[in-house]
């Protein structure tokens, strides 16, 4: 239905080309402010200026976005579909300006119009559709896939409310809803791209006239998914990929007009609202699954809409079904999208009439599954009755998939009945449960962990039996990475500029291994001076943020010690705060002369607790109470400050991370699958204190043991240590007991408030081994103080570490996924387009 060739002249003539100069940018921005927003020069505040700028850049992106989509359609090659319930994108404007290479143009243009670009960037509301590491990883992957010119789509949910905003009142976390869609210039509603998704109902099986078995899923309720598209620009390339987010609405066909007309207006509207509830809110748990029906509805709604969209696109190419896996690679970001496996099998068998085995072969060649945790409480299980009611046909398919799988296992291991029970997708509990990770393994051709230790652990613990069944090759490792565009260039522009000045250009942002060319400067006096000055300036910027948000000042010359991440017992913020209290007690016991020798420290914490995670909230409370006491103690002064930064999110991370001297990655060994903020901190010239866990191990291997502060027990010893606690065969660390007594005395108010936190460690097994690691932790903190006194060698460590961080770019990860799992090549983009200014 496209415009005939002889009428395309006008299109060619008027197709927008996008601004490149300052004047053109100003014209676009002013046009949007005065017409799209109906404002004028007399009432243009910073928000309006942001909106105009964002709309100008959005238009700019859309031109490349359209061309990219066309190019990918014509090329008709394999595409990657990254299915993730979370995309923690943060702000888009700064990223868009840098990626298209027009930040300087905008900066000068905005100055002409009377604004400072920093203030304008600050106006944007974070897109916070995720909890933490898993959601941010998805965002980094989108950036890398676009930058490397892969034809890739993200598929997610368009939540009306992202992760809650955190406030601290009286030391307690309070959650405020994050309604973020008031003005969002970065999304395009596609009211013409919809999918009807079915729930409930019943399954009708019958034989048709030709004697063929027909299965049909009937009745129930229909909810419509509408696509909202978000452009994802690559850095220094015209590729702009698409992130498609689904929003739920009552199906227009379903809106009950009879009800409506017979005066039941309210109940008709209530139905409408029930449908909209599906995409209303992001579940705020990290590493905990609760089995709520609405969550399962979200998962199926999103999987079904995405799968039908993908299949629709495939069908346009008119290929045979057997070619589906050559055109489509679907990556499951954890088990949340596992129903997509079942849905594709349903489409192929029930709707397209393929034989079971042919369909299943297509399915398994299409999917790959990434695991992000070994914590048992985070492994997804859905109760059979719940699925039976919501998705009756899918439950049948799951049982059938399991049957064929177990039969194949039985053929190969005929005498091992226990094995069948252990690998069964159905757990024989009361009620029966569907083990989603097992379903994801059976339905995929590759399963990967996210750091070496983690990938080894899944093979020897939770998925051990599957290694026996499938052999080791189905399981692989892709160590996580981060995008250096956001986490170096955007967050730390001065450091990026300094590096570019030595390497000659910004190519390192596309090939991060080039950072190794910094090594020759490790002993260069002038370079080190500039390096240290930039760190100091970033600390001043954070100190200003603390002043503005907390109302007190911290000394930017102090050692900044930072732990920012979701609050969780396994991440052990409690170990950190007990260490702080221990330090406080030591300071109190010192003479003024002894105090003079100390290295002043600012201990910064940040992170959200899941609203229902009471122990995590207690830890936040303790940190805040310790801060209240320590920060105003005249004996302490500048020697120790304890800061809890509220509402940690992506845009705050961009200010916090470049300002660290030391950051803490101190999970109990074997619990943190990878961690990615560890990489961000080191890439910004901060050193880290950490356990031998997750990616810390590989970071150590890359940067060298002398450049990291490691402590604590090893993963292989954790089981034994827990055993000793359990059987009472253990002496608590005496220094930690003193800390507990100090708290129990009421030093930080409210003795009772911290009772459960303390007794969990002192009396109830210390599951996360805080006591076992306490001594080693405190000693290592002392080593850090000593090391910090020698600034010259500290700066050398910092530079060396950055120079050796090339491995941790998400570009490397994406290439590993592309080679080892997706079997896909990037789409070549013409040279002439590729050359972009790099500011
Ligand atoms: C995180 N998982 C891991 N899950 O904890 C971290 O080690 C890893 O670096 C990161 O993934 C990326 O691989 C994580 O963030 C969640 O937040 C889920 C949200 C939904 C419920 C279950 C946990």
């Amino acid at each position: 239905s496209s415009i005939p060739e002889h009428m395309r002249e006008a299109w060619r003539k008027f197709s927008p080309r996008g601004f490149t100069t300052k004047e053109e940018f100003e014209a676009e921005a002013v046009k949007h402010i005065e017409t799209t927003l109906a404002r004028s020069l007399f009432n243009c505040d910073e928000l309006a200026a942001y909106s105009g700028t964002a709309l100008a850049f959005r238009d700019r992106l859309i031109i490349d976005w359209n061309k990219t989509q066309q190019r990918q359609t014509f090329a008709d090659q394999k595409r990657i579909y990254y299915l993730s319930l979370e995309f923690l994108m943060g702000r888009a404007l700064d990223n868009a300006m840098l990626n298209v290479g027009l930040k300087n143009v905008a900066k000068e243009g905005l100055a002409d119009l009377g604004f400072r670009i920093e203030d304008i960037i600050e106006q944007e509301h974070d897109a916070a559709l995720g909890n933490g590491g898993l959601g941010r990883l998805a965002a980094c992957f989108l950036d890398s896939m676009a930058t490397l010119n892969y034809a890739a789509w993200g598929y997610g949910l368009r939540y009306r409310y992202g992760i809650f905003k955190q406030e601290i009142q009286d030391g307690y976390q309070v959650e405020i809803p994050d309604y973020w869609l008031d003005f969002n210039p970065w999304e395009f509603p596609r009211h013409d791209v919809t999918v009807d998704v079915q729930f409930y109902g019943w399954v009708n099986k019958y034989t048709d006239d030709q004697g063929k078995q027909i299965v049909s899923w009937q009745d129930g309720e229909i909810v419509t998914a509408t696509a909202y598209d978000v452009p994802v620009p690559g850095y220094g390339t015209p590729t702009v990929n698409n992130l498609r987010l689904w929003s739920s609405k009552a199906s227009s066909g379903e809106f009950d007009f009879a009800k409506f007309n017979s005066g039941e207006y309210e109940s008709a509207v209530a139905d409408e609202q029930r449908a909209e509830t599906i995409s209303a809110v992001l579940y705020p748990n990290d590493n905990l699954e609760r089995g709520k029906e609405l969550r399962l509805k979200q998962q199926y709604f999103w999987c079904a809409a995405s799968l039908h969209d993908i299949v629709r696109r495939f069908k346009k190419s008119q290929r045979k079904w057997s070619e589906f896996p050559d055109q489509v690679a679907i990556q499951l970001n954890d088990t949340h999208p596992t129903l997509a496996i079942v849905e594709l099998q349903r489409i192929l068998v029930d709707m397209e009439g393929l034989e079971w085995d042919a369909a299943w072969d297509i399915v398994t060649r299409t999917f790959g599954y990434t695991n992000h945790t070994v914590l048992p409480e985070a492994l997804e299980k859905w109760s059979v009755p719940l699925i039976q009611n919501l998705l009756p046909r899918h439950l049948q398919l799951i049982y059938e998939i399991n049957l064929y799988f177990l039969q194949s296992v039985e053929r190969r291991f005929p005498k091992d009945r226990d094995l069948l029970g252990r690998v069964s997708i159905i757990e024989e509990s009361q009620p029966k449960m569907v083990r989603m990770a097992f379903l994801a393994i059976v339905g995929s051709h590759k399963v990967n962990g996210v750091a070496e230790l983690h990938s080894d652990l899944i093979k020897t613990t939770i998925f051990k039996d599957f290694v026996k069944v499938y052999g080791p090759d189905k399981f692989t490792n892709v160590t996580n990475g981060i995008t250096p565009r956001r986490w170096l260039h955007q967050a730390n522009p001065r450091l990026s500029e300094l590096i570019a000045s030595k390497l000659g250009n910004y190519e390192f942002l596309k090939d991060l291994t080039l950072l190794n060319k910094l090594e020759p400067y490790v002993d260069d006096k002038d370079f080190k001076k500039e390096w240290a000055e930039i760190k100091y300036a970033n600390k001043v910027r954070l100190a200003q943020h603390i002043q503005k948000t907390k109302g007190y000042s911290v000394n930017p010359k102090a050692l900044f010690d930072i732990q920012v991440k979701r609050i969780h017992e396994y991440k052990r913020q409690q170990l950190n705060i007990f260490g702080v209290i221990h330090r406080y007690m030591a300071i109190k016991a010192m003479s003024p002369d002894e105090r003079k020798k100390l290295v002043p420290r600012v201990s910064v914490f940040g992170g959200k607790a899941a609203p229902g995670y009471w122990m995590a909230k207690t830890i936040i409370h303790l940190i805040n109470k310790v801060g209240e006491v320590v920060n105003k103690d005249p004996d302490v002064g500048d020697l120790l400050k304890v800061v809890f930064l509220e509402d940690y999110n992506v845009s705050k991370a961009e200010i916090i991370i470049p300002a660290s001297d030391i950051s803490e990655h101190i999970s109990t060994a074997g619990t943190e699958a990878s961690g990615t903020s560890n990489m961000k901190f080191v890439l910004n010239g901060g050193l880290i204190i950490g356990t031998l866990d997750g990616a810390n191990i590989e970071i150590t291997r890359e940067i060298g043991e002398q450049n990291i502060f490691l402590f604590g027990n090893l993963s292989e010893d954790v089981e034994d240590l827990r055993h000793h606690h359990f059987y009472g065969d253990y002496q608590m660390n005496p220094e930690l007991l003193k800390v507990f007594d100090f708290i129990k005395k009421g030093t930080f108010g409210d003795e009772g408030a911290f009772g459960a936190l303390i007794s969990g460690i002192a009396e109830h097994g210390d599951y996360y081994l805080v006591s076992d690691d306490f001594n080693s932790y405190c000693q290592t903190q002392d080593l850090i103080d000593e090391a910090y006194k020698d600034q010259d060698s500290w700066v050398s460590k910092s530079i060396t570490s950055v120079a050796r961080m090339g491995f941790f770019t998400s570009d490397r990860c994406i290439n590993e996924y592309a080679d080892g799992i997706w079997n896909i090549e990037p789409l070549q983009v013409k040279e002439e387009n590729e050359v972009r200014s790099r500011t």
Side-chain angles (χ1 to χ4, degrees), residues 168 170-171 550 552-554 576-578 580-581 584 601-605 618-634 636-637 640-645 742-743 747-749 754:
I168 301 295
D170 280 341
K550 311 291 297 184
Y552 52 80
S553 64
V554 297
N576 184 345
I577 193 66
F578 294 148
V580 168
I581 296 170
Y584 176 56
R601 232 186 231 244
V602 178
S603 270
V604 177
F605 293 81
T618 304
I619 295 170
I620 293 179
H621 186 207
L622 178 60
I623 296 167
N624 280 295
K625 289 293 159 185
V626 171
E628 281 175 22
V629 172
V630 170
N631 295 351
K632 60 165 194 257
D633 188 331
V636 174
L640 183 59
K641 287 275 180 283
V642 181
V643 183
F644 190 94
L645 287 175
F742 197 57
I743 298 171
T747 314
F748 309 107
F754 312 113

Side-chain angles (χ1 to χ4, degrees), residues 86 131-134 137 285-289 295 336 372 450 480 570-571 672-676:
E86 307 193 358
N131 275 286
L134 172 145
L137 186 75
N285 297 319
D286 87 311
N287 287 300
L288 180 73
E289 277 300 329
R295 168 90 169 172
H336 320 142
H372 295 267
V450 290
N480 282 166
Y570 87 81
K571 295 177 188 283
E672 187 71 276
S674 164
T676 44

